[in-house]
Amino acid sequence: MTIESRVLQWEQSIRSDEKDQILVVAEQSDGNIVGFACGGREREGKLSYDGELYAIYLLKEAQQTGIGQQLAERVVHHLHALNMRNLIIWALERNSACRFYEKMGGIPVHTQSVRIGGQELIEVGYSWEDLKSFGNVGLSGV
């Protein structure tokens, strides 16, 4: 994956009028972006999940600082405000982020094969059957 291969996709996403999608960025006080998260309605329609955390990414120096949790919770709060009840996120099986999703309450419920860069890899689908149970999002009173 390269920046060039994603530029058009990101431009379309940022300019989109889709109200059910959200893109959140984290930046340092000097304006440098250190991470992002995005989500919206579940994209494939094969599974019974309302929402999907499409992507979350942090620069190495921003990992394990709580920023990832804040980004993810912001996306989940937006999805909950749109009356979405549950959520799925897909992660490569050997991705260290899997531990993050488990810490946030995600339960591995599905696996699927995906081809990336000419390699067959396994993705794990982590689910939250109730968005109110996501991390420390505190949606129970909403």
Side-chain angles (χ1 to χ4, degrees):
M1 294 185 207
T2 65
I3 292 173
E4 293 78 19
S5 70
R6 297 293 181 152
V7 168
L8 181 59
Q9 178 186 359
W10 280 102
E11 286 176 349
Q12 289 173 344
S13 180
I14 290 169
R15 291 187 179 125
S16 172
D17 288 336
E18 296 285 327
K19 302 292 186 236
D20 62 352
Q21 292 185 11
I22 185 171
L23 169 65
V24 184
V25 298
E27 62 180 66
Q28 297 172 323
S29 58
D30 61 6
N32 287 326
I33 293 175
V34 295
F36 73 88
C38 57
R41 294 211 175 275
E42 195 274 327
R43 296 176 286 191
E44 293 184 4
K46 297 178 195 173
L47 303 171
S48 62
Y49 296 97
D50 299 328
E52 182 176 350
L53 185 58
Y54 301 149
I56 184 167
Y57 178 80
L58 288 171
L59 294 178
K60 188 85 170 160
E61 63 267 18
Q63 294 175 9
Q64 298 190 10
T65 64
I67 294 172
Q69 181 175 337
Q70 290 174 0
L71 288 170
E73 288 176 354
R74 188 69 177 239
V75 170
V76 168
H77 187 75
H78 177 78
L79 299 179
H80 186 265
L82 294 172
N83 295 318
M84 294 186 198
R85 298 174 314 273
N86 50 38
L87 172 80
I88 193 161
I89 183 170
W90 293 96
L92 292 176
E93 184 177 48
R94 295 185 179 165
N95 187 334
S96 61
C98 292
R99 288 189 303 276
F100 171 76
Y101 303 132
E102 291 169 4
K103 178 182 170 191
M104 297 297 290
I107 299 169
V109 292
H110 299 283
T111 60
Q112 65 185 15
S113 181
V114 63
R115 188 167 201 78
I116 299 175
Q119 288 186 313
E120 270 313 298
L121 302 170
I122 301 295
E123 283 185 318
V124 178
Y126 287 87
S127 92
W128 289 261
E129 294 301 323
D130 182 352
L131 285 185
K132 294 176 188 173
S133 68
F134 189 95
N136 298 316
V137 89
L139 294 175
S140 57
V142 175

